[in-house]
């Protein structure tokens, strides 16, 4: 039997196959409300309380580059991306476990710098780092964070709750993380080109990164939208479906629609684009909408609400209504600024294994 490359089916095709393999193990766990297929697993801890759990692995040269990722900021990012998953369930974070695979070239001070960033972020989000594991790595640095959070039956939001007629909403602005990464990669290549040519290194050959501060900050240290979740709880707002934007709107909206059995239509003119991302796209002669749709790593929240909740979110200027949930037969569509309709299924978000 010929072997199949993972790149033939991609990251999410692989996840679907693994989900089928583990399905028989779920039969004896009646407290498990949701397994694979959402931002977190969900299990019941009391009649009304639910615990959510997530884990994220960040590997050097796949998720980060230590040539331009300061260890303290990297530590904070490792915590933030997990808190973002907790937020996507309309839950509040509780505890984290940290596992490190560390190259032998690392010093104690480097590991402490990484952990300092984690501790600072954990304090900001109000969660405890309760344990973990360490190991030697024969290649690069690998960081795995597992995290739990809590919510309740009347607050839980999953990807499967969208209904035709619901509003599609997004927090913050998009495209900045992709823009920041583009700038960092450009500057890295400039530096390496000079060094490989035995030219003396000089800061004068590098751009003034201060003018890209916001975009670079969004890439190196994203902020999970815990403030939005606290706002939802204060106003008794429960999104029908919710996901954090880690892979780009096109991919993450498909996750919601596939789980909910719906279609969707979003409008390019309503997508909140980060102003610095727009400037960087113009400078690099790239399309900022493509970054917003497929760049990923913005870690904003994409969620749906029944139309009657529109007034409840009006006070939040950092929440934009960008479209509507439709019947499944409609497909997942984008109307651009020229009135053309684009099938978002043709625009892939970030996928670790796709060629």
């Amino acid at each position: 039997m010929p072997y199949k490359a993972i790149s033939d089916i991609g990251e999410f095709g692989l996840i679907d196959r693994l989900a089928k393999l583990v399905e028989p193990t779920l039969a004896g766990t009646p407290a498990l409300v949701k397994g694979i297929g959402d931002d977190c697993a969900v299990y019941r801890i009391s009649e009304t309380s639910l615990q959510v759990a997530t884990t994220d692995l960040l590997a050097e040269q796949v998720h980060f580059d230590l040539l331009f990722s300061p260890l303290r900021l990297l530590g904070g990012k490792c915590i933030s991306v997990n808190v973002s998953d907790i937020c996507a369930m309309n839950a509040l974070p509780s505890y984290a476990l940290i596992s490190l695979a560390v190259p032998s070239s690392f010093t104690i001070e480097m590991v402490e710098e990484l952990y300092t960033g984690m501790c600072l972020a954990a304090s900001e989000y109000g969660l405890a780092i309760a344990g973990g594991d360490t190991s030697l790595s024969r290649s690069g640095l690998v960081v795995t964070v597992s995290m739990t959070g809590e919510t309740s039956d009347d607050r839980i939001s999953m990807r499967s709750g969208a209904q035709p007629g619901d509003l599609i909403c997004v927090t913050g602005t998009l495209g900045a993380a992709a823009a920041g990464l583009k700038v960092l990669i450009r500057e890295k290549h400039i530096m390496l080109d000079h060094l490989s040519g035995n030219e003396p290194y000089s800061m004068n050959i590098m751009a003034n990164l201060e003018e890209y501060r916001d975009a670079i900050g969004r890439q190196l240290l994203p902020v999970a939208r815990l403030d939005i979740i606290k706002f939802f709880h204060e106003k008794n707002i429960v999104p029908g479906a919710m996901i954090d934007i880690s892979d780009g709107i096109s991919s993450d909206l498909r996750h919601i629609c596939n789980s909910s059995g719906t279609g969707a239509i979003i409008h390019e003119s309503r997508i909140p684009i980060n102003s610095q991302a727009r400037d960087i796209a113009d400078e690099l002669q790239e399309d900022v909408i493509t970054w917003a749709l497929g760049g990923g790593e913005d870690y904003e929240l994409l969620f749906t609400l029944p139309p009657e909740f529109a007034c409840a979110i009006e006070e939040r200027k950092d929440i934009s209504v960008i479209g509507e949930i439709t019947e499944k037969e409609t497909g997942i569509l984008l109307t651009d600024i020229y009135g053309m309709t684009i099938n978002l299924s043709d625009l892939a978000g970030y996928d670790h294994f796709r060629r």
Side-chain angles (χ1 to χ4, degrees):
M1 183 181 74
Y3 292 106
K4 181 184 287 287
I6 298 175
S7 57
D8 289 343
I9 60 174
E11 177 185 2
F12 303 111
L14 177 63
I15 291 171
D16 289 342
R17 291 173 75 115
L18 297 180
K20 290 183 174 67
L21 285 174
V22 306
E23 191 171 350
T25 71
L26 308 182
T29 54
L32 186 69
V33 177
K34 180 66 179 178
I36 295 175
D38 219 301
D39 286 85
C40 295
V42 183
Y43 49 98
R44 185 169 301 285
I45 54 177
S46 75
E47 286 189 6
T48 58
S49 297
L50 299 170
Q51 192 162 64
V52 300
T54 186
T55 188
D56 261 312
L57 181 151
L58 285 84
E60 188 176 350
Q61 295 305 322
V62 176
H63 300 93
F64 60 89
D65 187 331
L66 289 179
L67 278 178
F68 54 69
S69 297
L71 285 167
R72 184 172 295 203
L73 297 186
L74 176 61
K77 182 173 183 175
C78 291
I79 295 296
S80 286
V81 300
N82 280 269
V83 173
S84 188
D85 280 339
I86 300 290
C87 290
M89 311 303 291
N90 202 22
L92 301 176
S94 304
Y95 303 100
L97 301 174
I98 313 296
S99 293
L100 299 180
V102 184
S104 58
S105 58
F106 265 51
T107 65
I108 294 170
E109 290 78 11
M110 292 170 73
V111 176
E112 288 180 338
E113 185 74 358
L114 178 70
Y115 249 80
T116 296
M118 292 180 183
C119 293
L120 288 170
S123 296
E124 285 293 318
Y125 293 124
L127 66 96
I129 296 177
D133 192 19
T134 56
S135 172
L136 174 67
S137 169
R138 297 294 185 189
S139 53
L141 175 66
V142 179
V143 185
T144 299
V145 179
S146 299
M147 191 175 293
T148 64
E150 292 192 19
T151 188
S152 58
D153 283 302
D154 58 348
R155 283 180 172 167
I156 187 74
S157 291
M158 291 190 275
R159 299 177 184 179
S160 56
Q163 298 289 332
D166 284 356
L167 305 175
I168 300 173
C169 308
V170 67
T171 64
T173 59
L174 305 176
L181 183 60
K182 291 280 187 178
V183 170
L184 289 169
I185 290 174
R186 180 189 68 181
E187 298 305 307
K188 170 190 168 181
H189 287 161
I190 291 172
M191 179 184 71
L192 293 179
D193 285 347
H194 277 71
L195 294 177
S196 65
N198 293 319
E199 300 177 45
Y201 176 71
S202 169
M203 287 296 292
N204 294 330
I205 66 175
M206 309 299 289
N208 179 8
L209 296 185
E210 185 64 31
E211 63 181 284
Y212 308 110
R213 184 184 184 89
D214 183 42
I216 291 174
R218 300 285 187 97
Q219 168 58 221
L220 296 181
L221 187 57
V223 177
R225 297 310 304 265
L226 190 57
D227 61 319
I228 295 290
I229 302 308
K230 291 178 178 179
F231 168 74
F232 286 164
H233 292 185
E234 177 188 341
K235 300 296 183 181
N236 293 316
I237 298 171
V238 181
M242 186 153 57
I243 190 171
D244 72 329
I245 303 176
S246 56
D247 299 319
I249 288 181
S250 63
S251 182
D252 292 320
L253 181 58
R254 280 202 304 276
H255 291 322
I256 285 179
C257 291
N258 290 342
S259 295
S260 299
T262 65
I265 184 165
I266 60 175
H267 310 285
E268 179 184 339
S269 61
R270 299 186 194 175
I271 296 174
I273 299 297
N274 179 273
S275 59
Q276 195 164 91
R278 196 181 295 279
D279 292 341
I280 292 170
D282 289 344
E283 179 182 339
L284 300 181
Q285 297 183 350
E286 296 203 35
D287 181 15
V288 72
I289 289 295
T290 299
W291 292 350
L293 293 174
E297 291 202 288
D298 284 307
Y299 295 104
E300 296 291 346
L301 294 172
L302 178 68
F303 60 95
T304 68
L305 281 178
E308 57 266 27
F309 280 98
C311 293
I313 61 172
E314 279 184 350
E315 67 183 82
R316 295 292 306 221
K317 302 305 180 186
D318 54 351
I319 295 178
S320 303
V321 178
I322 63 170
E324 308 82 32
I325 293 293
T326 62
E327 298 291 345
K328 183 177 182 178
E329 294 72 25
T330 304
I332 305 171
L333 307 175
L334 168 77
T335 58
D336 68 13
I337 57 175
Y338 304 106
M340 301 290 290
T341 300
I342 300 166
N343 187 345
L344 282 182
S345 297
D346 297 333
L347 180 61
Y350 184 77
D351 186 319
H352 282 286
F353 297 107
R354 284 287 188 194
R355 291 193 182 97

